[in-house]
Amino acid sequence: MACDAIYKLGAPIKGVAAEHLLKDFSLVPTLNTFIKWLGSLGLDFFPILVVDLLHKFELGVFKSVFKHLLRLLYAIDHESVMLLNERFFSIASFRKGAI
């Protein structure tokens, strides 16, 4: 609706109409290929975007969530924690030829 107001009706990008429609979700009035081709079929592409949890969480929040996940693993099966440790320690450390 905001794109229609801007591109078809000539409303200003920072105008009241566009701001009213977009401000609640911090959206921007850009044309998107997914919406252009699949929007008429009812595609809402926001749920298909992948969330990057490491950038979403602050370090302290991630640390407490990770501790909780470890407690869950201990409660479910002790061997799953051992498997996690093996996989973690198989990752090469930071040096030449590594990450």
Side-chain angles (χ1 to χ4, degrees):
M1 290 171 42
C3 286
D4 284 344
I6 294 167
Y7 297 117
K8 293 180 182 175
L9 303 176
I13 293 174
K14 294 283 187 180
V16 177
E19 287 291 323
H20 175 72
L21 292 167
L22 303 174
K23 190 172 184 173
D24 290 340
F25 298 102
S26 298
L27 300 174
V28 292
T30 57
L31 294 175
N32 183 294
T33 303
F34 289 111
I35 296 300
K36 181 179 177 182
W37 292 100
L38 302 173
S40 62
L41 301 173
L43 173 73
D44 180 15
F45 77 100
F46 289 108
I48 64 174
L49 296 175
V50 177
V51 177
D52 185 358
L53 293 179
L54 292 178
H55 288 101
K56 187 99 172 153
F57 287 134
E58 295 177 15
L59 183 60
V61 174
F62 177 76
K63 186 177 178 181
S64 60
V65 169
F66 189 68
K67 282 181 181 179
H68 183 68
L69 290 174
L70 286 175
R71 289 184 193 115
L72 287 173
L73 281 177
Y74 272 118
I76 294 169
D77 182 18
H78 288 277
E79 290 188 23
S80 59
V81 178
M82 298 299 280
L83 179 62
L84 177 68
N85 282 337
E86 288 174 17
R87 290 183 180 181
F88 179 77
F89 285 111
S90 70
I91 298 172
S93 61
F94 291 95
R95 64 177 188 278
K96 271 191 172 178
I99 299 173

